[in-house]
Amino acid sequence: MGVEVVTFGCRLNAFEAEVIRSKAEDAGLSDTIVINSCAVTNEAVAQARQSIRKLKRERPGARIVVTGCAAQTQAAMFADMAEVDRVVGNDDKLHGDAWRETQAAFDVGASEKIAVSDIMAIREMAPHLVDGYASGLPRVFVQVQNGCDHRCTFCIIPFGRGNSRSVPMGAVVEQVRTLVERGHAEIVLTGVDLTSYGTDLPGAPKLGMLTRQILRHVPELKRLRISSIDSIEADGDLLDAIADDARLMPHLHLSLQSGDDMILKRMKRRHSRNDAIAFCDQVRRLRPDIAFGADIIAGFPTETEEMFSHSLDLVEECGLTFLHVFPYSPRPGTPAARMPQVAGPVIKERARQLRAAGEAALRRRLQAEVGATREVLIESAGQGRTEHYLPVGVAGERVGNVVPLTIAGSDGERLTT
């Protein structure tokens, strides 16, 4: 057996899983399971612990290494688990030395389990070109940024990822060019706080400039997609690219978190409800067919029914299509954990209502697509995605191609042709 990486959490973790696998295998590890953990909620941490126990029962001879955000913030907790052989830090996991040291520790039976560096001391970010992507894989990710300089009161992630740091523009463009040459049709730019891209680089270029440089210097690129952004930080170049270049996909996922101004202040967010609505209106004028997704937290401390209704209304007022709902869970050490908490059953019910609103919004968007012709990226033998990231049932199309298809209907969950 080689190295198996089990990943929880965000797209960035999914990208980094490929880097981990490559570095660990190069270091000589075998019969090893790496848990790439997430710390965004208590549930995510619990899922990682459950997975560790389950995997050890299934493969008692395998070594288990834990890394990721939860490993960075709660290293001792994972090290105390009898099933765990090593805990590797969230920056360390991207470097070959950490995995060579892990292999050496396995060989000599070292008792020290924890190999976690000070994430806040990391100031630079090296580009990681993933060689493990299968040639022609339809959609691949390029990490352009890591960490976060903001301190939202509910969020533990800056302590798991460190401060914001960016990959230089030239290195990003070269990565994109290389991946396009390998036959990948769609590139997704990803990071922890993507719209803070460039603040640590000479000249402080912004995400919009990076986007325009990629589109300009890699003309063979078929599709460029941007993952989650903070709308208040979207710059003019990014808006111009959305308006001017059809290769930049008309789909943005927004970090909104709440639709109530008082809750947004208590979250220490930097936008207001009206800012969110105005941004969506502005982008829709530039690209009328744009599809928006959003992260919304249900049951943040002190949230009343009226405050919650403002979040629920935001689905309509922003014209959201995809909703990612987080039932609030207190993260130890965050200011929100010390605020008056909303009862668990209330949080669960509010999350249910938000998810129902999101499902209804998606069904409406799917129905509105009937009769349209869309450029569909074929992801597998049975499914593709439109420019707007809407799923489409397909048959008989070659995986990796982008083909124009006329939408015939919808089954409520995906489009049909």
Side-chain angles (χ1 to χ4, degrees), residues 58-172:
E58 293 173 350
R59 290 173 56 186
R63 298 185 186 274
I64 294 183
V65 182
V66 185
T67 188
C69 290
Q72 183 71 38
T73 58
Q74 296 174 268
M77 179 191 71
F78 286 106
D80 285 342
M81 295 181 69
E83 298 88 350
V84 173
D85 296 284
R86 187 83 162 172
V87 182
V88 174
N90 212 14
D91 183 70
D92 307 89
K93 71 183 183 183
L94 302 176
H95 304 284
D97 286 348
W99 298 106
R100 285 188 287 274
E101 291 168 6
T102 294
Q103 177 62 56
F106 288 167
D107 290 342
V108 300
S111 59
E112 177 56 56
K113 284 187 178 183
I114 298 175
V116 177
S117 302
D118 179 4
I119 197 77
M120 293 300 178
I122 308 300
R123 290 289 180 266
E124 295 182 348
M125 182 180 171
H128 296 283
L129 178 61
V130 173
D131 292 321
Y133 285 137
S135 178
L137 191 68
R139 178 182 300 103
V140 295
F141 298 90
V142 171
Q143 182 184 17
V144 304
Q145 184 273 342
N146 203 347
C148 184
D149 291 337
H150 309 301
R151 296 295 181 264
C152 296
T153 59
F154 56 84
C155 189
I156 196 70
I157 298 306
F159 303 99
R161 289 278 178 182
N163 293 312
S164 182
R165 50 208 187 273
S166 313
V167 178
M169 280 198 298
V172 175

Side-chain angles (χ1 to χ4, degrees), residues 253 293-297 322-326:
H253 192 85
D295 295 329
I296 304 285
I297 294 175
F322 308 96
L323 220 58
H324 193 179
V325 178
F326 291 88

